Each structure stands twice: as structure tokens, then as C-alpha cells.
Amino acid sequence: MSAVGMAAFTLMCGAAFSDDDAPGREMARQAVKGQQKWVTADHSRFDALKQNFKSGPDVTKACLNCHNEAGEQFMKTIHWTWLDPTAEKELKVGKGGLIVNNFCINIQSNEPRCTSCHAGYGWKDKSFDFTDQTKIDCLVCHEQTGTYKKFPTMAGNPPPPPGKKFKNKFIAAPDWNKVAQSVARPTRKNCGTCHFYGGGGDGVKHGDLDSSMMKPSKNLDVHMGVDSRNFECTRCHTTVNHRIAGRIYSTPAATERKSLLEDDLGSKIMCESCHSATPHKSEIGSKMNDHTDKVACQSCHIPTFARELPTKMWWDWSTAGKKKDGKPYVVKGEWGKPTYMTKKGDMKWDKNVVPEYYWFNGTIDTITATTAIDPSKPVRVSRPVGSIDDTRSRIMPFKVHRGKTPYDKVNKNMVIPHLFGKDKDAYWKSYDWNKAIAAGMEYAGLPFSGEVGFVETEFVYPTTHMVAPRENALACEECHSKNGRLDKMTCFYMPGRDSSDIVDAGGWFVVIASAVGVILHALGRIFMKGRKED
């Protein structure tokens, strides 16, 4: 594409983004019109919630007296099982099963630490009773005082009265009556308590979810901005019978891209739900609307992630275990984030990260500790599924977290280390990989050869939050140029990036022919005008 043509294309795109009357904006306004919340019950007035509670399960029993279907509903969800409900049970797909990541790897034998983010009480080992409804933690998702805290190493339980310290920070025991009487619809604080801090810290896992999203500005996220629409998470992550739309494993978050005009009872998890598949004004945005069947809205409207707080981009477990003066130590770098920990190895953080782009049909393919791997190249412990030939696929932005993760050199599979615990085999006690992995694999019922290696790994997260204001959406040349954002996606021809002798020759022929036509037309008019004057 010529420089003049590219400039015209960019100008057209910019006009499409700046148009106040774009149908996508009008549809979105209608979709959220009259979003005032209303309630039919004041829980502080219920006698059942005024009794002398001694524990979380006591509160749950009181909840279930009225909400007598909630327990069965919740126990069928991924928030309870931590397993993909659509996958075959023997595969154990999910973080409660055998799936591995390149953060803390797997929860098996590490439950008391990992399940501090489980919506339940007491998942400390394999003996946890998933059929006991009183073990459900209703409060973590519904209490509104902001005082309810689970203790990080107590298997989802809050600390006993009056509270206890964790890393020099005092965590108070709950006032059970106060928190029970405050319950309401979940807010972003309820969701963010776990989802902003996944992986053991603020912004560790997700690049587009961290504590800056608790009260973001419009510039950070146009939907959740407190000076904008101020959406709660549940505005898009719609819920039916406690099943919350959005979690991705082998089944997409949504299988159809329908607007509310087509299906007002469907989930609102897709951009098209509110904005439609033709969001740009037709007169000047038709070229932009031509992109929506192949390019996800997020690819243009989330130019970077981790825009206010850093996110972890690299985690090298192979360097863990080093000590100073015989003691574990921590090195902190820019932004006050750890760049080395004896417990965890080397780490890298970054801000304003440009996403990586892949074809994506809504499905994430994952591997487990039983999957055969090829250690001669980076292992994709999770990867987006999709292709240019798949009509459900779109080009989607991702955070890709990389690192070095332990594997079995003989059996050629990823391994599950026993990291957390007070016993001698826990890595964070012994700093002995062989002991830790042997204990973790035995706990998971899997073989281990005794030969430990470390392999480079990749783990992906779709980027769907931190939607920028329209004026900050990507300009066309960000992709339509040499070395642009999509330079690695070579399966299609892109104007401005690619060249073809045939296409270029045809283009120049049209340009020259047009120029000749204009000149001949002008000469003809001059000639005719001269004859009339004669």
C-alpha cells in the first residue's frame, strides 16, 4: 500500500474511532441503560444472621436455610471444584487437578497455601469433602464490609480470634455477625480479592487484572472506570445458578457472538453482546467493520496491559535455592518487585506491555503432569486454539508468561513439586528439588524417575480488561506496517506490511492508468473549450 493510500486509510480509521454516533456506542448505551441495582431483602434484619456464629460453616448453614438451592448449584461450578466441568473426569483438567502452569506449578500437596483463594473452608489435602455444603464460603464472594480476610496459609479459613500475623502484617479475625449481615451482590472487591492477586501477589498472573482495577480511571478501563461506566465484574461476567461466564479451558466462554438484540438472555461476556458485530459507523467505518470477523475488538482497543502496575513476565525456577550467609534472601528491583527470591528463583516484571497476538476461538489447550513433552524447545503449558480457517477464531491479544520450570528428564513430562509445608520434603524447607518433586508426584499418584531438569515454558492469558478510551485505540499503521504488531502472523496478506510483485504491479497499473485518464480528460476539456471559442 502506498504512503498516500496508507494515510487515507489511517484517517478513515481515526474518524471511525472518533465518531460519537457509531452504532456500537449507541447499542452499548442502550445495553447499560437503567443499570441501577435494586434489592428485595435487608440481611441485617434477619434473625438467622443475628445468632452467635463461631465459624464460617456456621454462617453458611444459616445462609442455606433460606437459599436452599444455592449449595447444590455452587458445587457444580468451577469455583468450587477447580476442575473443568466439561472435560473428562479422568483427565483432571483444572487447577484442582493435574494441569501445570509456570507460576507455582500445581496445587497438589500445596493445598493449604493455594486454597486461600478457594471459595470454601478447609481444603488442606485430598481428604476435603466436596459434598459438604457447609464447607462453602458464601462470604468471600458476598460480604461487603471489606473486613473479611482469609489467612494465606490456612486452607481458606480466616484466622481465629483475635487474629494472627502473616509476614509482619496482622490479619484480624472476622466479626461473623457483621460480615454475615452485610451480604449483597458481588462487587469488584469481592472478585479482585482473589483474581487481582493470583499467583501469590498483585498482578503476578494476569496482565490486565491487578489492584489498579479496584478503582480505575476511565483512561485505564472505559467500562470499569469510576469516572466512566463504573461497571462491576458481574456486568459482563453474567451468572446463572452460580455459574459465572468467562472461565476458559476446553470450552469457550461463549460459543456464539450474539448481540442483546438477538438474545437478551445470553451471557454478556463478548464485546458483541453490547456493541454488535458492526460497531463502527457505516459511512466511514465500513473498513473497520470488515475487520470484526477476523480481529477481536480487544486487539485494537487494548493497546497495552499492565499500564499502571507491573506484571510478572518471567519466572526461572532453576535458579531458586541460593542463600546468603546460609539464609534465604530476596532482591527487589524496579517498582519494588522481587527480581530474585531464594524460594522462587529469578523473576522479571514489566509495565505497558504490548500483547502478543494469536488466532483464538475461545479455547485454551493445556497440558498436565502426564503429558509427554519435547524439552528441546519451549513447552507451551497452555496455548490458544484457533486458525485463520476457523470461522470462530479471531486475532486476539495475550499476555505470555515465560520461565524455566522443572520436568522429569527421563519420563519427559512436567512435574509437581511439593513446595509448601513444614515437613522436611517441602522445597521451601529443604530446598532440595529431588525430595520436593518425589513427594509431590507421589502425592499426586504419578511416577518420578528421580532425574530433574528445567525447561523453558510458556503460559498464556487472554487480554480482555484495561480497555482504553477510543481515542487511544491502535492506529492502523500499528499493524499495517513493516515490523508491526502482527509481523509474526504470516498466514495472510496484509496491506502495508506485505508486498507482492503481482499486486504491486497491478496497483501501479491502476495508479498510472488513472493518472493517464485524468490527463487525457483534462486535455479533452481544454480541446473542446478551444473549439467552442472558435
Side-chain angles (χ1 to χ4, degrees), residues 211-239:
S211 62
S212 69
M213 294 290 283
M214 199 70 78
K215 294 182 179 179
S217 66
K218 178 181 179 181
N219 192 55
L220 180 60
D221 191 287
V222 295
H223 300 115
M224 296 178 71
V226 294
D227 54 345
S228 184
R229 300 309 306 183
N230 200 24
F231 284 175
E232 300 291 358
C233 306
T234 52
R235 187 72 204 181
C236 298
H237 294 273
T238 46
T239 304

Side-chain angles (χ1 to χ4, degrees), residues 47-323:
D47 290 338
L49 299 181
K50 294 179 181 179
Q51 58 185 292
N52 185 25
F53 297 120
K54 298 292 186 181
S55 67
D58 286 348
V59 176
T60 301
K61 290 176 186 176
C63 296
L64 294 173
N65 279 335
C66 292
H67 301 278
N68 51 28
E69 297 292 325
E72 288 190 17
Q73 292 173 0
F74 188 70
M75 284 183 166
K76 296 175 183 177
T77 71
I78 199 168
H79 274 88
W80 178 247
T81 64
W82 282 8
L83 294 171
D84 181 358
T86 64
E88 297 179 22
K89 288 186 177 181
E90 59 269 20
L91 295 179
K92 296 183 178 180
V93 176
K95 61 184 177 183
L98 298 178
I99 274 186
V100 293
N101 60 46
N102 57 4
F103 295 91
C104 285
I105 305 175
N106 187 278
I107 79 161
Q108 301 289 332
S109 75
N110 304 304
E111 290 93 340
R113 186 67 177 91
C114 301
T115 58
S116 59
C117 268
H118 183 241
Y121 299 113
W123 185 0
K124 63 179 181 179
D125 54 33
K126 289 186 286 188
S127 68
F128 182 70
D129 186 357
F130 284 92
T131 66
D132 185 351
Q133 294 186 14
T134 67
K135 298 297 186 183
I136 296 172
D137 183 353
C138 307
L139 296 172
V140 71
C141 295
H142 291 283
E143 78 88 24
Q144 300 304 316
T145 68
T147 64
Y148 181 77
K149 309 288 184 184
K150 289 172 172 280
F151 198 78
T153 61
M154 291 181 59
N157 287 301
K164 59 187 297 187
K165 278 188 176 183
F166 180 74
K167 294 182 179 179
N168 298 318
K169 182 179 180 181
F170 184 77
I171 300 176
D175 180 334
W176 292 110
N177 292 94
K178 184 177 180 180
V179 295
Q181 292 171 26
S182 74
V183 296
R185 290 184 181 93
T187 65
R188 71 179 65 152
K189 183 172 180 60
N190 294 110
C191 303
T193 295
C194 289
H195 292 287
F196 295 168
Y197 298 91
D202 194 359
V204 170
K205 282 190 174 180
H206 299 271
D208 59 343
L209 286 176
D210 56 41
S211 62
S212 69
M213 294 290 283
M214 199 70 78
K215 294 182 179 179
S217 66
K218 178 181 179 181
N219 192 55
L220 180 60
D221 191 287
V222 295
H223 300 115
M224 296 178 71
V226 294
D227 54 345
S228 184
R229 300 309 306 183
N230 200 24
F231 284 175
E232 300 291 358
C233 306
T234 52
R235 187 72 204 181
C236 298
H237 294 273
T238 46
T239 304
V240 177
N241 293 335
H242 285 90
R243 293 194 303 272
I244 302 172
R247 190 64 176 93
I248 301 168
Y249 277 122
S250 58
T251 300
T255 56
E256 297 186 49
R257 298 172 179 270
K258 290 184 176 181
S259 75
L260 296 178
L261 292 177
E262 299 172 278
D263 182 6
D264 65 338
L265 296 179
S267 72
K268 314 300 186 292
I269 200 67
M270 309 297 284
C271 300
E272 292 91 336
S273 301
C274 293
H275 295 282
S276 82
T278 54
H280 309 96
K281 193 172 182 179
S282 58
E283 288 87 344
I284 54 180
S286 59
K287 180 52 65 178
M288 304 303 297
N289 287 334
D290 286 346
H291 286 63
T292 61
D293 65 334
K294 292 297 182 183
V295 181
C297 304
Q298 296 92 328
S299 292
C300 295
H301 289 275
I302 307 178
T304 59
F305 57 81
R307 294 207 292 274
E308 291 192 4
L309 297 176
T311 187
K312 187 178 288 187
M313 299 298 295
W314 172 264
W315 187 333
D316 184 354
W317 280 102
S318 71
T319 62
K322 300 175 186 175
K323 297 180 181 180

